[in-house]
């Protein structure tokens, strides 16, 4: 099958921003005399909406996680207002898909405002035909809604789309949507439990582009 669409997660996949989020989550926890354990990174990555709220409420011992989430997003937005660190291989793979007329989308749990700002600051906004925020779907990752929405906006069947993700929640969402799931681990390595949900696992987007290019010639 020649794939017609490519859907990218944003934080930790296109941009090296997941470390910024984790640093700020820890800062906010420290201000409350809390220490987040190592499971927090895996639990929170790729989530949004009620799922994220429940995780925050559990780890921060609060009845409503909304205020903490908004504070984190506010601090991240401020840090990324002038510079967004781009991940290895991003421009290479975007150029490759553009040359092959593969339609591209970004599907992220971040807000639409932050997504647009990051893509524009990094200079890659115009590569994408569609941008889908977690705000637009009822259920966030690991539910498939965001990737189904992205495929619909691209007017392509989910089965004809690559999904690039760094988080296990994102991979499960792409798998449930029926997409070709490619994991590029960021802060958390691919566990043995997630590997059955991954069609491929690569070190970075540059390695992914090289192997996809080889496949395209077949």
């Amino acid at each position: 099958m020649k794939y017609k669409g490519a859907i990218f997660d944003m934080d930790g996949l296109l941009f090296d921003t997941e470390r910024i989020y984790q640093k700020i989550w820890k800062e906010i926890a420290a201000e409350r005399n809390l220490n987040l354990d190592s499971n927090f990174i895996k639990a929170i990555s790729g989530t949004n909406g009620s799922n994220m709220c429940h995780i925050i409420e559990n780890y921060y011992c609060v009845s409503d996680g909304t205020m903490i989430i908004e504070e984190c997003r506010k601090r991240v937005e401020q840090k990324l207002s002038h510079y967004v660190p781009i991940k290895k291989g991003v421009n290479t793979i975007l150029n490759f898909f553009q040359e092959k007329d593969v339609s591209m989308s970004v599907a992220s749990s971040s807000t639409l405002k932050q997504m647009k700002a990051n893509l524009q600051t990094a200079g890659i906004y115009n590569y994408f035909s569609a941008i889908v925020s977690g705000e637009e779907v009822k259920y966030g990752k690991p539910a498939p809604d965001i990737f189904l929405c992205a495929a619909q906006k691209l007017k392509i069947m989910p089965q004809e789309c690559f999904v690039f993700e760094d988080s296990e929640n994102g991979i499960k969402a792409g798998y449930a949507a029926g997409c070709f799931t490619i994991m590029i681990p960021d802060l958390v390595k691919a566990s043995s439990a997630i590997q059955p949900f991954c069609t491929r696992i690569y070190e970075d987007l540059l390695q992914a582009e090289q192997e996809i290019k080889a496949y395209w010639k077949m």
Side-chain angles (χ1 to χ4, degrees), residues 150-167:
Q152 184 178 36
K153 285 191 175 186
L154 292 175
K155 298 180 180 179
I156 298 171
M157 295 293 292
Q159 295 81 3
E160 298 175 310
C161 293
F162 294 105
V163 158
F164 294 87
E165 268 284 355
D166 68 291
S167 73

Side-chain angles (χ1 to χ4, degrees), residues 128-200:
F128 301 102
S129 302
I131 299 174
V132 185
S133 164
E135 298 170 313
E136 298 179 57
V137 295
K138 184 175 182 180
Y139 299 107
K141 305 171 187 177
D145 302 37
I146 197 166
F147 293 127
L148 294 175
C149 181
Q152 184 178 36
K153 285 191 175 186
L154 292 175
K155 298 180 180 179
I156 298 171
M157 295 293 292
Q159 295 81 3
E160 298 175 310
C161 293
F162 294 105
V163 158
F164 294 87
E165 268 284 355
D166 68 291
S167 73
E168 295 197 358
N169 286 321
I171 285 294
K172 288 178 180 178
Y175 180 88
C179 302
F180 187 108
T181 53
I182 296 176
M183 188 173 190
I184 315 287
D186 183 34
L187 299 183
V188 180
K189 292 182 179 181
S191 68
S192 57
I194 198 62
Q195 289 180 18
F197 298 91
C198 303
T199 312
R200 297 286 189 276

Side-chain angles (χ1 to χ4, degrees), residues 92-112:
T92 303
I93 200 166
L94 295 182
N95 284 325
F96 171 74
F97 281 138
Q98 188 176 67
E99 290 170 3
K100 297 299 180 182
D101 294 320
V102 173
S103 297
M104 291 179 278
S105 171
V106 181
S108 169
S109 301
S110 293
T111 65
L112 185 60

